[in-house]
Amino acid sequence: MTSGAYDPSNIFAKILRGEIPSHRVYEDENTVAFMDVMPQAPGHVLVVPKAPSRNLLDSDPAVLALTISVVQKIACAVKDAFDADGVFVCQFNEPAAGQTVFHLHFHVIPRHEGVALKPHSGKLEDNAVLAANAEKIKAEL
Ligand code: AMP
């Protein structure tokens, strides 16, 4: 194993099991996408495979392939929904690289020319704003 063990009590596992709420924008057999509660820009989405893995390092390549195709779908949707100039896709592996939640996830963040990203894991966004942004993205899917 190239990283630590998978802990099924992590917060994204709880979201996947429906034990805590999320603003979902997309779901299929293998993957869920929901709004990041501390967005680095409006429209910041997390794409999460249902299969348990801690991060990229211990993932099944077949799961990765399914997940990245959803990342592409969501990236196109957030670009359109927020009339963005570009889309930032990123993913952290282990604490030294900035990972704070230990279930594999990809960040998908719309970017506008000249607008800086807010800090990673910064301020909690209002639920109403997250809900409205989720609706905008769903309308493009
Ligand atoms: P990281 O593990 O560093 O890639 O970051 C985890 C991300 O999850 C951060 O951007 C947090 O804002 C986000 N986050 C933490 N808790 C939740 C939650 N309950 N629902 C949605 N996003 C979350």
Side-chain angles (χ1 to χ4, degrees), residues 6 11 14 39 46 68 71-72 124 137:
Y6 181 78
I11 198 146
K14 289 181 181 171
L46 299 170
I68 206 71
V71 168
Q72 181 189 40
L124 208 56
I137 295 165

Side-chain angles (χ1 to χ4, degrees), residues 114-126:
V115 178
L117 279 184
K118 293 182 198 159
H120 178 228
S121 295
K123 183 175 160 288
L124 208 56
E125 184 56 277
D126 286 346

Side-chain angles (χ1 to χ4, degrees), residues 35-133:
M35 304 308 293
D36 192 304
V37 290
M38 291 175 267
Q40 290 187 253
H44 181 166
V45 173
L46 299 170
V47 178
V48 179
K50 291 181 180 177
S53 71
R54 183 175 159 92
N55 54 41
L56 186 85
L57 305 176
D58 63 335
S59 300
D60 178 343
V63 171
L64 283 178
L66 293 166
T67 308
I68 206 71
S69 71
V70 176
V71 168
Q72 181 189 40
K73 190 189 294 281
I74 299 297
C76 293
V78 301
K79 186 170 185 299
D80 291 345
F82 292 87
D83 198 21
D85 300 311
V87 182
F88 180 46
V89 173
C90 64
Q91 187 276 322
F92 306 109
N93 301 286
E94 298 301 320
Q99 187 177 10
T100 60
V101 177
F102 298 95
H103 181 114
L104 175 64
H105 54 280
F106 289 82
H107 297 258
V108 180
I109 309 175
R111 298 299 310 269
H112 293 87
E113 294 289 356
V115 178
L117 279 184
K118 293 182 198 159
H120 178 228
S121 295
K123 183 175 160 288
L124 208 56
E125 184 56 277
D126 286 346
N127 261 317
V129 172
L130 293 172
N133 288 344

